[in-house]
């Protein structure tokens, strides 16, 4: 839902806002709307200056990443296994959607003071880091789950967490029906210690979550 109150709040968070297309056409759906007939590009956003009323009249609104000094951790696991590990990341501004009648968090928005952040899509389709386009934060198919000002997080730290989330999402998928759980966890602990440089506190955190 888009209201004057949340538009004002988004701006206070430093979000640079834009209406976003809602279309069945995959070539235009999720693309920012432009209010000028120009050669619009992500680096040349001529025509994205909007009044509050124009934002209120939109079906969806998004926040540009680079202009807002934010990045988005996008949980896109179609089986929703990665979502089980979403609370491994610090609480921040969180957006989700309705899936089969329940609200599922899908986007965690963090602030950054890094001048240039590369997207991280190697873990696709489980979880991605997006920093060079925009994220839809409100509208007809979005739910604001945690409405707080985004917190700062280093992208280096996030990338390490995303690798662990992707890994443990796969482990979860393959461990649900185990009969020899003790053997599995002994081998997992040994593999993490011998073959990775994952710090002990992260190993404990993720293994405990997997046990849960």
């Amino acid at each position: 839902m888009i209201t004057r109150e949340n538009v004002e709040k988004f701006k206070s968070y430093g979000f640079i806002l834009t209406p976003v297309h809602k279309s069945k056409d995959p070539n235009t759906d999720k693309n920012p709307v432009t209010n000028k007939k120009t050669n619009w590009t992500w680096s040349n956003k001529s025509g994205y200056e909007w009044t509050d009323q124009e934002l209120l009249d939109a079906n969806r609104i998004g926040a540009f990443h680079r202009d807002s000094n934010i990045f988005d951790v996008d949980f896109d696991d179609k089986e929703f296994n990665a979502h089980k590990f979403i609370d491994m990341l610090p609480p921040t501004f969180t957006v989700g959607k309705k899936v089969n009648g329940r609200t599922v968090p899908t986007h965690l928005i963090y602030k950054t003071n890094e001048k240039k952040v590369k997207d991280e899509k190697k873990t696709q389709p489980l979880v991605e880091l997006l920093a060079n386009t925009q994220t839809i934060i409100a509208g007809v198919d979005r739910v604001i789950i945690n409405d707080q000002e985004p917190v700062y997080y280093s992208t280096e730290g996030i990338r390490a967490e995303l690798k662990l989330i992707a890994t443990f999402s796969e482990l979860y998928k393959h461990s649900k029906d185990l009969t020899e759980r003790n053997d599995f966890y002994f081998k997992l602990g040994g593999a993490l210690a011998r073959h990775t440089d994952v710090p002990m506190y992260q190993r404990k955190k993720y293994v405990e979550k997997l046990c849960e």
Side-chain angles (χ1 to χ4, degrees):
M1 185 176 182
I2 301 171
T3 66
R4 189 171 297 279
E5 180 183 10
N6 60 25
V7 166
E8 292 175 355
K9 189 178 293 186
F10 296 155
K11 288 185 174 182
S12 75
Y13 295 163
F15 292 164
I16 304 301
L17 303 172
T18 178
V20 180
H21 287 287
K22 170 64 175 169
S23 170
K24 293 181 180 179
D25 180 356
N27 294 318
T28 59
D29 191 45
K30 298 185 180 181
N31 282 347
V33 177
T34 178
N35 58 14
K36 294 180 182 178
K37 293 182 179 179
T38 58
N39 292 323
W40 191 95
T41 65
W42 288 111
S43 58
N44 175 33
K45 301 186 186 71
S46 177
Y48 78 106
E49 304 82 7
W50 301 93
T51 66
D52 285 357
Q53 190 58 53
E54 288 171 321
L55 293 169
L56 289 168
D57 291 340
N59 287 325
R60 296 157 142 182
I61 55 175
F64 288 112
H65 298 146
R66 279 181 290 179
D67 302 74
S68 306
N69 296 315
I70 59 174
F71 63 88
D72 171 21
V73 179
D74 178 9
F75 282 74
D76 199 26
D77 181 2
K78 305 306 180 187
E79 297 179 357
F80 299 102
N81 291 322
H83 296 71
K84 300 180 187 299
F85 297 89
I86 199 168
D87 57 356
M88 297 291 94
L89 300 177
T92 189
F93 184 86
T94 306
V95 178
K97 59 184 178 181
K98 292 286 187 180
V99 179
N100 298 324
R102 65 189 183 96
T103 302
V104 177
T106 53
H107 298 270
L108 275 64
I109 307 295
Y110 292 96
K111 282 188 177 181
T112 179
N113 51 19
E114 299 171 43
K115 291 185 178 180
K116 190 172 183 180
V117 179
K118 291 183 179 180
D119 291 349
E120 176 63 74
K121 297 185 178 182
K122 293 179 182 178
T123 52
Q124 190 179 11
L126 300 180
V127 57
E128 302 174 335
L129 186 156
L130 305 174
N132 296 287
T133 52
Q134 62 83 28
T135 295
I136 302 167
I137 58 173
V140 294
D141 51 0
R142 293 294 184 273
V143 179
I144 300 172
I145 296 174
N146 186 19
D147 190 0
Q148 70 166 81
E149 185 171 358
V151 300
Y152 281 94
Y153 204 120
S154 74
T155 57
E156 181 181 358
I158 281 284
R159 292 179 202 280
E161 297 281 2
L162 297 191
K163 290 177 182 178
L164 285 166
I165 289 173
T167 299
F168 275 79
S169 299
E170 291 292 339
L171 286 169
Y172 170 77
K173 183 168 63 175
H174 295 293
S175 66
K176 288 187 292 184
D177 301 320
L178 285 176
T179 55
E180 296 294 333
R181 291 186 181 275
N182 286 345
D183 184 58
F184 169 79
Y185 281 106
F186 278 130
K187 289 179 178 177
L188 174 59
L192 288 169
R194 184 172 182 178
H195 299 294
T196 78
D197 57 0
V198 178
M200 176 62 79
Y201 80 92
Q202 283 186 315
R203 286 186 247 158
K204 291 177 64 175
K205 181 174 75 167
Y206 278 89
V207 172
E208 285 176 3
K209 184 65 175 178
L210 183 60
C211 289
E212 291 175 14

